[in-house]
């Protein structure tokens, strides 16, 4: 491109030497003026085309960069989602294995399994603390309870007031998850405080918590 401009520039400079007489009906001076004008117009046209190409390539580059950024964002979100699913599966499998590996459960092992369910619930919902309670539906009495030091007990009347086939309820600042089954008149309840609203809004998390509540009830009915 630079060599082409150089050649045109040289020709333009040499126009007075190249045109030494009248050209057809044009005088020598007029022919030189027209030749110089055409050389200038040619250079201007080439520069204009070059700028248009540069602008076109710039826009294409910006589009490519946006596509790359979106692809990277999609990959990050995909990996994050996969990691989150794997983490939740690890939590779920961990509590399930905690039950299946203990065919003969001692009091210590039983309490450890309840603690693992509570810890898994805290981890899943990024909660401050969780309490676990087993309530006799008929007598409205507490059969067993695991209440953290910072927690306040929720009345059993509030727990059993949950409608049939409803396993999720919000009461004040608590999120209550009940087992879907009742075994010998007893239901289990996970009472979660200080949870992350975004995690609570994920329906998959709620389904896993229902499994936790059912696992806790299974363990209670098995050992009692």
């Amino acid at each position: 491109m630079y060599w082409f401009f150089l050649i045109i520039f040289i020709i333009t400079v040499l126009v007075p030497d190249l045109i030494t007489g009248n050209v057809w009906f044009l005088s020598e001076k007029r022919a030189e003026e027209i030749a110089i004008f055409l050389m200038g117009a040619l250079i201007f046209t080439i520069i204009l085309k070059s700028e248009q190409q540069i602008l076109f390539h710039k826009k294409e580059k910006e589009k490519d960069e946006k596509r790359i950024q979106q692809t990277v964002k999609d990959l990050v979100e995909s990996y994050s989602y996969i990691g989150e699913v794997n983490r939740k599966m690890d939590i779920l499998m961990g509590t399930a294995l905690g039950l299946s590996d203990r065919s003969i459960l001692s009091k210590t092992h039983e309490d450890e399994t309840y603690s693992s369910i509570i810890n898994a619930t805290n981890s899943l919902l990024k909660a401050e603390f969780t309490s676990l309670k087993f309530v006799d539906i008929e007598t409205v009495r507490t059969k067993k309870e695991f209440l953290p030091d910072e927690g306040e007990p929720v009345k059993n009347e509030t727990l059993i007031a949950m409608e049939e086939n409803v396993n999720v309820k919000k009461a004040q600042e608590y999120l209550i998850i009940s087992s879907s089954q009742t075994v010998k008149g007893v239901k289990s309840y996970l009472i979660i405080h200080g949870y992350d609203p975004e995690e609570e809004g994920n329906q998959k998390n709620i389904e896993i918590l229902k499994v936790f509540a059912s696992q806790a009830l299974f363990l209670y009915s098995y050992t009692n």
Side-chain angles (χ1 to χ4, degrees):
M1 181 65 70
Y2 295 108
W3 288 106
F4 188 71
F5 284 143
L6 179 60
I7 293 172
I8 295 177
F9 174 76
I10 293 173
I11 294 174
T12 302
V13 172
L14 295 177
V15 163
D17 295 327
L18 296 174
I19 301 176
T20 57
N22 295 340
V23 179
W24 295 314
F25 58 89
L26 298 174
S27 65
E28 178 182 349
K29 183 178 179 181
R30 186 65 63 188
E32 290 174 353
E33 290 175 349
I34 293 175
I36 293 173
F37 172 78
L38 292 175
M39 293 296 104
L42 179 60
I43 292 175
F44 177 79
T45 302
I46 294 173
I47 292 175
L48 184 62
K49 290 292 183 180
S50 298
E51 288 183 349
Q52 288 178 347
Q53 288 181 354
I54 292 173
L55 182 61
F56 173 77
H57 290 304
K58 183 178 179 181
K59 290 182 178 179
E60 288 298 314
K61 183 179 180 181
E62 290 176 352
K63 289 181 181 179
D64 291 339
E65 288 177 351
K66 289 181 180 179
R67 282 194 290 265
I68 292 173
Q69 290 175 357
Q70 185 62 43
T71 301
V72 171
K73 182 180 178 181
D74 292 341
L75 286 174
V76 170
E77 291 179 352
S78 297
Y79 284 128
S80 177
Y81 175 76
I82 292 171
E84 187 71 12
V85 170
N86 288 338
R87 182 180 70 86
K88 293 174 182 178
M89 288 302 299
D90 288 341
I91 292 173
L92 185 59
M93 292 300 297
T95 56
L97 292 174
L99 296 177
S100 62
D101 289 345
R102 295 169 181 171
S103 56
I104 301 178
L105 289 169
S106 65
K107 176 65 176 177
T108 301
H109 287 162
E110 179 186 359
D111 291 346
E112 286 178 354
T113 304
Y114 289 138
S115 295
S116 69
I117 292 175
I118 291 173
N119 292 334
T121 300
N122 289 334
S123 177
L124 192 66
L125 252 60
K126 300 178 182 178
E128 294 179 5
F129 60 84
T130 299
S131 58
L132 175 62
K133 182 182 284 191
F134 300 90
V135 179
D136 188 311
I137 302 301
E138 295 180 0
T139 62
V140 198
R141 292 181 55 189
T142 300
K143 307 296 291 185
K144 186 186 287 285
E145 183 177 20
F146 293 85
L147 181 68
D149 295 335
E150 64 269 34
E152 296 181 1
V154 176
K155 293 182 178 180
N156 292 345
E157 287 78 7
T158 301
L159 299 178
I160 66 173
M162 297 176 67
E163 298 178 4
E164 188 176 357
N165 298 325
V166 175
N167 305 110
V168 182
K169 178 181 180 180
K170 292 183 180 179
Q172 299 175 350
E173 71 274 21
Y174 295 98
L175 176 67
I176 302 172
I177 308 292
S178 72
S179 60
S180 56
Q181 308 88 2
T182 301
V183 179
K184 295 182 179 179
V186 176
K187 292 191 75 169
S188 61
Y189 297 88
L190 287 168
I191 306 165
I192 308 163
H193 176 81
Y195 53 88
D196 187 333
E198 290 187 5
E199 297 295 339
E200 181 267 333
N202 188 334
Q203 187 59 35
K204 293 180 181 179
N205 289 345
I206 300 300
E207 294 302 322
I208 293 175
L209 292 176
K210 291 179 183 179
V211 174
F212 287 169
S214 296
Q215 287 179 335
L217 180 62
F218 165 77
L219 177 59
Y220 173 83
S221 61
Y222 182 78
T223 57
N224 292 273

